[in-house]
């Protein structure tokens, strides 16, 4: 009875008080996220005061004033912090990596393009691999520059072309379904996100890989490429080892290994592009693999271009709650604890320097914090300046539908919501024309 009075009853009362608080209406500009129960700020008024980690001061407290010092000292420190605390360490190119040509068709897309499909095998036993779908413009002689990105719903979803091999889309199985049966995305269903004909007409090749070939997008540590690397008895990546986003980025590097062998592709002019979770992945791929010449983040938000310390839209706590397998285990300690993170996302943008980088937002995509995405470009600018290059300037975002492309950090915020569309791609082509044309 005493135990009941002393512990159980107060706990019960506390629960009721907490419950009723949880039901309390929130002030304008805040919402309760249904999947995590967390309160999310959607209004600038809630952005707390914050101090960003200094880009140009080494861990030993010294000022970096030359490109050499950035490249040899400060850049490796920042890359290491992101590796162990955010995305996790991935292995390099596997010895057994092998490319297999699956198909070539010179008469694709009304004779405008050559379609190739190439299998990249990751292991000697060929138990795991990914299929790269490639379109190259027929009108061009010699090796072409290329846009490359991961897709959400299988290679066959990016165009109506009936000859694209259906991806083995290992989507999350629904109740009563097993992995093999979960191929439910129709052909061409993502075509609005992949204006392949427009890119071909502009002289660019396009390549894509279904991200599920590398690691299916749900919490199962046994079904991704990481499992090939587990030590005897290991069932999860270690706390500082690659989670799903790093695995996807690793896959992008393996595609680059292939591009380097294809004489129709100019591997020194590969632009990588990704939307949303693939935007986060693309930034990490660009940071870890400097062979990528241009890096484009489309509405990448939390864990991508948006500054985590602003806590506007999706937060570290929310992303770790809903997608616990995207970032390495060590990242979890920063849920609700952003101010102690050794890095923030402007430093990720700075890791691209001196290569050109493009950050894009959508005005209606508050969840991804458009202003926070823009500001990371502004705060990365001092590193571009070390190289004598221009970045982004001013605390205020440029007006909607007014791209800024003067320097080596491009930016636009367009009308509309969370998506990648023709407007976005047109800006990327313009930016690539400036930086990748010979
Ligand atoms: C959301 C997630 C975002 C973003 C997005 C997407 O559910 O909260 O971080 O990655 O998915 O990839 O479309």
């Amino acid at each position: 009875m005493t135990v009941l009075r002393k512990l159980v009853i107060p706990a019960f009362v506390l629960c009721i008080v907490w419950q009723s608080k949880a039901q309390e209406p929130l002030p304008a500009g805040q919402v309760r996220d249904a999947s995590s129960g967390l309160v999310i700020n959607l209004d600038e008024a809630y952005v707390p005061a914050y101090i960003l980690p200094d880009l140009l001061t080494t861990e030993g407290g010294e000022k970096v004033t030359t490109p050499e010092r950035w490249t040899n000292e400060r850049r490796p420190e920042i890359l290491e912090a992101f590796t162990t605390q955010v995305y996790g360490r991935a292995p390099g190119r596997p010895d057994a990596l092998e490319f297999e040509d699956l198909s070539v068709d010179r008469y694709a897309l009304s004779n405008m393009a050559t379609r190739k499909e190439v299998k990249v095998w990751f292991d000697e036993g060929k138990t795991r691999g990914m299929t790269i779908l490639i379109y190259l413009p027929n009108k061009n002689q010699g090796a072409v520059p290329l846009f490359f990105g991961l897709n959400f719903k299988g290679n066959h979803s990016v165009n109506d072309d009936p000859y694209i091999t259906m991806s083995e889309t290992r989507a999350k199985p629904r109740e009563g379904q097993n992995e093999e049966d979960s191929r439910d995305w129709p052909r061409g269903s993502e075509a609005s996100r992949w204006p392949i004909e427009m890119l071909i007409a502009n002289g660019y090749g396009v390549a894509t890989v279904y991200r599920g070939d590398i690691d299916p997008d749900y919490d199962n540590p046994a079904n991704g490429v990481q499992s090939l690397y587990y030590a005897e008895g290991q069932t999860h990546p270690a706390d500082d080892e690659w989670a799903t986003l790093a695995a996807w980025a690793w896959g992008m590097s393996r595609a680059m290994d292939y591009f380097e062998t294809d004489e129709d592709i100019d591997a020194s002019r590969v632009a990588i592009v990704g939307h949303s979770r693939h935007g986060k992945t693309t930034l990490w791929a660009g940071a870890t693999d400097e062979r990528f010449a241009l890096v484009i983040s489309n509405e990448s938000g939390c864990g991508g271009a948006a500054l985590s310390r602003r806590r506007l839209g999706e937060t570290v706590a929310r992303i770790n709650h809903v997608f616990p397998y995207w970032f390495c285990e060590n990242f979890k300690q920063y849920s609700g604890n952003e101010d102690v993170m050794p890095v923030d996302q402007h430093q990720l943008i700075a890791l691209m320097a001196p290569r050109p980088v493009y950050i894009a937002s959508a005005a209606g995509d508050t969840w991804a914090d458009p202003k926070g995405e823009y500001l990371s470009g502004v705060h990365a600018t001092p590193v571009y300046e070390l190289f004598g290059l221009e970045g982004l300037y001013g605390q205020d975002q440029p007006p909607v539908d007014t791209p800024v492309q003067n320097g080596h950090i491009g930016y636009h915020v367009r009308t509309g919501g969370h998506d990648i569309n023709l407007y976005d791609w047109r800006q990327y082509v313009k930016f690539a024309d400036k930086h990748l044309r010979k």
Side-chain angles (χ1 to χ4, degrees):
M1 188 59 204
T2 352
V3 176
L4 188 74
R5 252 206 343 256
K6 280 202 173 139
L7 289 170
V8 181
I9 296 176
F12 182 69
V13 171
L14 217 94
C15 238
I16 295 195
V17 172
W18 181 81
Q19 277 279 336
S20 62
K21 260 198 112 44
Q23 303 313 322
E24 250 174 44
L26 292 163
Q30 287 192 328
V31 291
R32 191 173 303 280
D33 171 51
S35 2
S36 63
L38 294 164
V39 173
I40 301 287
N41 300 327
L42 295 177
D43 192 296
E44 195 65 25
Y46 293 105
V47 172
Y50 59 89
I51 298 171
L52 293 177
D54 199 301
L55 247 190
L56 292 177
T57 305
T58 66
E59 283 166 10
E62 291 185 51
K63 280 274 164 220
V64 173
T65 54
T66 63
E68 292 73 31
R69 213 140 177 215
W70 164 259
T71 305
N72 302 327
E73 227 175 297
R74 185 61 180 140
R75 187 181 190 279
E77 283 179 357
I78 295 175
L79 187 62
E80 181 67 9
F82 274 112
T83 301
T84 63
Q85 304 301 303
V86 183
Y87 303 101
R89 194 180 305 285
R93 175 186 171 134
D95 291 339
L97 198 75
E98 214 178 292
F99 312 121
E100 184 188 333
D101 295 331
L102 299 180
S103 67
V104 181
D105 177 0
R106 306 223 162 263
Y107 308 101
L109 306 181
S110 313
N111 303 322
M112 299 278 286
T114 295
R115 179 192 348 91
K116 296 189 191 186
E117 293 178 311
V118 176
K119 188 90 181 179
V120 179
W121 292 108
F122 300 145
D123 59 325
E124 216 176 308
K126 297 189 175 166
T127 62
R128 275 209 84 93
M130 60 182 190
T131 304
I132 316 179
L133 168 69
I134 304 166
Y135 286 97
L136 300 170
N138 282 341
K139 66 170 185 183
N140 291 69
Q141 302 289 316
V144 293
L146 185 84
F147 282 98
F148 167 53
L150 301 179
N151 65 71
F152 279 77
K153 297 185 176 174
N155 289 352
H156 60 276
S157 72
V158 305
N159 193 278
D160 284 331
D161 182 347
Y163 298 104
I164 302 172
T165 304
M166 292 283 279
S167 283
E168 291 171 32
T169 49
R170 286 170 289 259
K172 186 169 183 168
R174 289 188 299 264
E175 279 285 300
Q177 220 185 14
N178 58 35
E179 276 198 6
E180 287 67 39
D181 294 336
S182 56
R183 303 181 189 182
D184 41 14
W185 287 305
R187 287 186 176 278
S189 53
E190 290 273 284
S192 69
R193 292 181 161 184
W194 293 91
I196 297 176
E197 289 84 350
M198 181 277 264
L199 295 167
I200 293 291
N202 279 281
Y204 289 93
V206 192
T208 185
V209 165
Y210 173 55
R211 54 127 187 272
D213 284 4
I214 309 161
D215 188 5
D217 191 13
Y218 60 98
D219 198 2
N220 175 355
N223 68 358
V225 67
Q226 298 96 323
S227 60
L228 287 178
Y229 290 82
Y230 288 159
E232 182 81 22
Q234 190 179 357
T235 54
H236 289 82
D239 292 357
D240 63 349
E241 283 179 344
W242 50 340
T244 293
L245 297 186
W248 292 341
W250 177 92
M252 293 181 78
S253 287
R254 303 293 71 85
M256 182 50 134
D257 295 337
Y258 167 75
F259 300 148
E260 288 183 324
T261 68
D262 187 327
E263 57 187 23
D264 299 328
I265 295 171
D266 183 346
S268 71
R269 292 189 291 157
V270 174
I272 45 173
V273 53
H275 169 60
S276 205
R277 67 198 67 186
H278 299 163
K280 310 177 208 293
T281 304
T282 298
L283 289 172
W284 186 234
T288 50
D289 193 334
E290 293 181 87
R291 293 176 296 174
F292 295 121
L294 164 60
V295 180
I296 303 165
S297 144
N298 193 85
E299 299 155 30
S300 57
C302 179
L307 292 174
S308 300
R309 279 168 173 77
R310 279 172 48 85
R311 286 153 269 199
L312 191 108
E314 188 171 34
T315 58
V316 172
R318 196 275 178 185
I319 210 165
N320 277 332
H321 190 279
V322 179
F323 303 103
Y325 57 96
W326 275 2
F327 299 86
C328 74
E329 273 307 300
N330 280 340
F331 192 53
K332 304 236 162 58
Q333 62 191 295
Y334 305 112
S335 290
N337 210 7
E338 289 83 350
D339 289 315
V340 305
M341 280 174 66
V343 286
D344 211 319
Q345 302 305 110
H346 63 305
Q347 292 172 301
L348 182 62
I349 302 299
L351 292 177
M352 311 309 156
R355 293 165 297 160
V357 59
Y358 200 107
I359 304 168
S361 309
D365 186 21
T366 319
W367 187 247
D369 186 12
K371 185 163 184 186
E373 294 178 319
Y374 167 72
L375 286 176
S376 32
V378 173
H379 292 295
T381 293
V383 174
Y384 280 83
E385 288 179 335
L386 271 189
F387 289 92
L389 301 168
E390 266 181 51
L392 290 177
Y393 300 92
Q395 290 301 300
D396 295 324
Q397 274 174 275
V400 172
D401 301 328
T402 313
V404 176
Q405 300 200 355
N406 308 331
H408 267 58
I409 309 181
Y411 181 81
H412 72 251
V413 51
R414 64 153 169 77
T415 306
H418 190 63
D419 199 1
I420 178 167
N421 64 21
L422 191 56
Y423 179 91
D424 299 309
W425 281 101
R426 284 189 178 141
Q427 314 319 314
Y428 305 152
V429 167
K430 261 190 224 160
F431 197 63
D433 281 351
K434 252 177 92 167
H435 294 283
L436 300 184
R437 288 280 177 208
K438 280 192 173 146

